[in-house]
Amino acid sequence: DAEITQSPRHKITETGRQVTLACHQTWNHNNMFWYRQDLGHGLRLIHYSYGVQDTNKGEVSDGYSVSRSNTEDLPLTLESAASSQTSVYFCASSEGSAGSYEQYFGPGTRLTVT
Amino acid sequence: QQQVKQSPQSLIVQKGGIPIINCAYENTAFDYFPWYQQFPGKGPALLIAIRPDVSEKKEGRFTISFNKSAKQFSLHIMDSQPGDSATYFCAAGHGDAGNMLTFGGGTRLMVKP
């Protein structure tokens, strides 16, 4: 069965370190998204991609970067982790065809920055 | 900035009750309104969705009511069960924004036995 996976599921890091969160989908979807989830803020879009070599900034992109070298993967990098980036991170993908909105979410990565 | 406002933030009902979660949006270009359900430790999953050409959609015990003129939509859960306890997110999307979704802040629902 097709799926979307994230790794690691839990990560503790120190302020200032670079961290990369992995996202891998086997749906063969064109669109991929990264969100962070914080209490009271719902799901906020960090970055998104509509295909290989395409990346775009979302609502809360400062301090984050992504790259899309193939269809399956969209890793999220925190260049210099800050305590404000402690959160639960979700990756999602969608088909990308016109009118196709449904997003399939991964299980999430809980990141703690100390 | 596009916004979707969701209320309440949390909700407690007894088993068999009908919890109602409300959302309001601003952008009249939105043409897709889904609800996602999230259990603890899991990612959100699509529960039910509606397009603005209909005022109501039912799937099992879940119903979306949509009021285009008021720019509001709501989720009703009939005969709620403890297994419905989860966080619910409304969202809105439109094709001109590349099929992106703007999410509401979420509602934590607890259904007591």
Side-chain angles (χ1 to χ4, degrees):
Chain A
D1 287 346
E3 61 178 355
I4 181 165
T5 57
Q6 295 183 236
S7 62
R9 294 295 313 278
H10 302 270
K11 175 77 176 178
I12 300 174
T13 191
E14 295 178 345
T15 301
R17 289 193 179 262
Q18 184 180 80
V19 177
T20 297
L21 309 182
C23 174
H24 179 81
Q25 53 100 1
T26 58
W27 294 95
N28 199 33
H29 284 164
N30 289 323
N31 296 355
M32 295 185 73
F33 308 85
W34 272 105
Y35 296 90
R36 59 178 289 174
Q37 182 177 11
D38 305 286
L39 194 64
H41 292 279
L43 293 161
R44 291 185 291 175
L45 184 65
I46 304 171
H47 280 285
Y48 58 101
S49 167
Y50 290 142
V52 176
Q53 303 300 331
D54 177 76
T55 60
N56 306 279
K57 294 181 179 180
E59 177 188 0
V60 290
S61 61
D62 287 349
Y64 303 94
S65 64
V66 294
S67 62
R68 186 96 179 264
S69 59
N70 58 51
T71 300
E72 296 80 18
D73 299 289
L74 187 70
L76 176 71
T77 297
L78 286 69
E79 303 294 342
S80 177
S83 57
S84 61
Q85 294 176 309
T86 292
S87 186
V88 181
Y89 291 85
F90 288 98
C91 179
S93 70
S94 69
E95 187 182 300
S97 58
S100 173
Y101 291 97
E102 182 175 359
Q103 294 186 14
Y104 296 81
F105 283 80
T109 294
R110 183 174 295 276
L111 177 68
T112 302
V113 183
T114 61
Chain B
Q1 181 179 348
Q2 299 177 354
Q3 282 191 322
V4 178
K5 296 182 179 179
Q6 183 172 345
S7 63
Q9 280 194 320
S10 63
L11 188 56
I12 301 173
V13 299
Q14 294 292 134
K15 177 182 175 183
I18 306 175
I20 301 173
I21 306 170
N22 300 297
C23 282
Y25 62 96
E26 299 174 356
N27 189 343
T28 55
F30 286 136
D31 61 1
Y32 175 76
F33 302 90
W35 286 89
Y36 279 75
Q37 180 188 53
Q38 182 185 30
F39 293 107
K42 304 291 186 181
L46 179 65
L47 180 64
I48 185 174
I50 196 168
R51 302 273 182 172
D53 53 342
V54 297
S55 60
E56 185 176 276
K57 183 174 181 179
K58 291 183 180 180
E59 286 187 4
R61 295 182 294 105
F62 300 90
T63 299
I64 300 179
S65 297
F66 183 79
N67 186 329
K68 189 173 181 178
S69 60
K71 294 187 286 185
Q72 296 175 347
F73 59 109
S74 60
L75 177 70
H76 303 234
I77 305 176
M78 308 301 290
D79 188 26
S80 59
Q81 302 296 313
D84 296 329
S85 298
T87 299
Y88 292 82
F89 293 97
C90 65
H94 65 85
D96 289 345
N99 295 4
M100 277 194 300
L101 297 176
T102 300
F103 285 87
T107 297
R108 298 182 73 174
L109 171 67
M110 179 184 296
V111 181
K112 290 189 171 181

